[in-house]
Amino acid sequence: MTASHSDSLVVLFGATAGAYGAKLGSDERELILLVWQVVDLQNKKVGTLHKSLVKADNLDLSDQCREVSGLTPEGLGKAEPLDRVLQQFSQLVSSDLKVLGRSSYTLCSDGQLLIRQVLHPETSKKNYLLSDCFYSFYDLRKEFHTCYPSSAAVKDQTIKTMAEYLGLGTDEAEEDFGVWQVKTMVAIIFSMLSEGCNHIFAEPETVKHKYETGPCSKSETVDSETVIRARGLPWQSSDQDIARFFKGLNIAKGGVALCLNSQGRRNGEALVRFVNSEQRDLALERHKHHMGSRYIEVYKATGEEFLKIAGGTSNEVAQFLSKENQVIIRMRGLPFTATQEDVLGFLGPECPVTGGKEGLLFVKYPDGRPTGDAFVLFSCEEYAQNALKKHKEILGKRYIELFRSTAAEVQQVLNRYMSTPLIPTLPTPIIPVIPPPYTIATGSVRDCVRLRGLPYTAGIDDILEFMGDATGDIKPHGVHMVLNQQGRPSGDAFIQMKSADKAFMVAQKCHKKMMKDRYVEVFQCSGEEMNFVLMGGTLNRSGLSPPPCKLPCLSPPAAYAAFQTAAVIPAEAAALYQPQALLPSTRTPQASAAAPPTVTYYPAQAAQLYMNYTAYYPSPPVSPTTVGYIAAPPGAVAAAATATHTPILPQPGALVRMQGLPYNTGMKEILSFFQGYQYAPDDYNGLIQLSDQARSVLQAPKEWVCL
């Protein structure tokens, strides 16, 4: 039995099969030795000294372990496993306490490492249950420094330096490894209890039994010395899984924040906030420790990064998360018409929701429309497990996905959706400082390279740094970042080089070179192949595969005419609007003669946005040298439009964007959806490119039309 003010100490010492001293536990090696002795603080008596070898699963001892401890794999092979040794520990301690006439005790170890970095992580991985005595202990180094303030700093203390400070001798040669350490620690404790010091062991170190969930406000102050970033987590890992990985260390309440990517899905990273910098430093020692079969990277992070992920301002979310120690489940794919009663009925009586309807939080857009996501609170792990068994079961006509979630994920999802604009509008047109007459490469000359597998966070600067000295061989405005249908980076990029030889050299030099912990594949290709892929086709070792949508009206023109002062639409806007909503390209007579007779849906040439309905969208080509863009004054935009006879987009609100349409939706369904809206002026017909069928429908006599 233990107590906050114990009348006895159990002096404990241990060793692993790997590192020793300040690096104990940093290499994940198993415990192989435990030595302990009971000390009666009142009568200054001691019990029997016990030494137990522990049989590890891996008996391969490090050289340092063999040298320092003198132990051998043969001797350890005859020992008991850890769970049996822990049982013997509890029985022998209880027996010694009875002999001394004492009832309570607290562990006392040389520093934090044995308890926090060895015993707790190992028993957690092996699913052993540690007794309560291992959740409270005295750090002899801290107690010694409190008793003797003029001694060395706590981090520099060792058993030997503490004994030397007191003038105590150590019999390292005559005593077994582990035995002389415990005897010396007992002698140090008796010196601290002497009349000259009268030290009182009053405030033990504590280890949290369970991670506590809770909300975090953006107004909080988070010390950057308490935050780490964990990378490489399994996507299905929860905050409890991360807390288990850091078992033995005290995580702050609500201190686990799982990071989401731009699609709202977990990206394998988490920010973890600890109660103090000492716990954070111990967490950094678990760099490349394993969670299952995956190793986890642990790095320093800042308080600002943590608040950006975990912080929130919504009162609704704060009220939802105010119920402490709840298990949070995220539901995704709910029908937009789903009600609270529907969700409660879907979950059923076997997994009751905490507080009924109050335990449900639907995620909505700013205008109140549902997103199909919801969060649910459960009071215990059993109810949460029952809910997770309903993963991909049907509600209405849709299957529902269920995942473990965290308070920080609730904040992130709500923050992301609540910040989404109701109707995205085109930003202020911008014009290039240096309007260059460049063109997209065509032909069969293999003077281009394709980069595949780029990190999604990679930018132009990262690509230029990746290419190194070859940057000088890139054509002006020859870097093309490829975006997916959502306007986000696809991991691909194309680069136009000055010659085929330069492209070949880059492909040889940079293939599978690392960029931000990922290797990038680099292939030589031609301008024709580049355009083919940008239009949605595929390029691999098997050759070219045609795009999924190869319509004549969607093919890019062979060349673009120079456009000196046209309004430029940035890539961000291009990701929001379909080609019909963009400015039609202006061509010279020569280009028009060479182009197919069908109308192409492309913006002004300076933007170089050859968008279509296929797999990829290229971003505007970027010069390897820095080319800045500035906002165009209204007069400049008007002058540009007048000079080029290019129609200007109508005012914001004249065009609307529709998301989430069923794939089989036709024009009639869309027109029916907008029934009752005011008829659009004929002037818009020149701006929005329409097929003959669509134009006949729109020009037929009616009182309403789609804008």
Side-chain angles (χ1 to χ4, degrees), residues 615-671:
Y616 295 108
Y617 297 119
S619 66
V622 181
S623 173
T625 57
T626 302
V627 177
Y629 290 86
I630 60 175
V637 177
T642 303
T644 58
H645 306 287
T646 302
I648 297 295
L649 284 175
Q651 295 299 317
L655 296 177
V656 295
R657 176 193 182 200
M658 301 179 69
Q659 285 183 305
L661 291 171
Y663 294 119
N664 58 352
T665 299
M667 184 188 309
K668 292 183 179 180
E669 287 82 6
I670 296 177
L671 294 176

Side-chain angles (χ1 to χ4, degrees), residues 678-701:
Q678 185 177 358
Y679 185 84
D682 291 337
D683 294 342
Y684 291 174
N685 291 341
L687 172 67
I688 304 176
Q689 308 296 334
L690 303 173
S691 64
D692 293 338
Q693 179 186 5
R695 184 173 286 103
S696 63
V697 172
L698 290 176
Q699 292 177 348

Side-chain angles (χ1 to χ4, degrees), residues 140-149 151 154 192 199-200:
L140 184 58
R141 299 184 184 187
K142 290 185 177 181
E143 299 294 330
F144 184 85
H145 188 72
T146 302
C147 185
Y148 303 101
S151 61
V154 174
M192 296 167 61
H199 182 74
I200 298 176

Side-chain angles (χ1 to χ4, degrees), residues 464-633:
L464 298 181
E465 181 180 356
F466 171 81
M467 296 192 64
D469 297 337
T471 301
D473 298 323
I474 301 176
K475 287 184 178 181
H477 305 276
V479 180
H480 308 268
M481 298 289 291
V482 182
L483 311 179
N484 60 20
Q485 287 180 331
Q486 288 74 41
R488 301 186 179 96
S490 66
D492 281 23
F494 284 92
I495 301 176
Q496 295 174 251
M497 307 301 294
K498 292 181 178 179
S499 67
D501 293 338
K502 300 295 184 182
F504 176 79
M505 294 300 296
V506 169
Q508 294 294 317
K509 180 180 178 180
C510 298
H511 185 56
K512 292 195 174 181
K513 182 179 173 182
M514 300 300 293
M515 179 191 295
K516 293 186 178 180
D517 299 330
R518 295 189 63 171
Y519 73 84
V520 178
E521 298 175 289
V522 182
F523 306 100
Q524 185 181 10
C525 65
S526 65
E528 180 182 7
E529 293 169 336
M530 178 183 73
N531 283 319
F532 200 85
V533 173
L534 291 176
M535 290 301 297
T538 57
L539 171 62
N540 50 41
R541 295 178 179 177
S542 302
L544 292 171
S545 299
C549 180
K550 190 66 174 175
L551 298 177
C553 62
L554 296 178
S555 301
Y560 291 85
F563 194 84
Q564 299 296 333
T565 57
V568 180
I569 299 178
E572 291 82 355
L576 297 178
Y577 290 89
Q578 294 293 350
Q580 293 93 326
L582 297 173
L583 299 175
S585 60
T586 302
R587 308 177 200 168
T588 61
Q590 292 81 359
S592 299
T598 54
V599 180
T600 55
Y601 304 156
Y602 301 103
Q605 189 274 339
Q608 290 290 317
L609 291 171
Y610 35 89
M611 299 172 60
N612 61 10
Y613 292 110
T614 55
Y616 295 108
Y617 297 119
S619 66
V622 181
S623 173
T625 57
T626 302
V627 177
Y629 290 86
I630 60 175

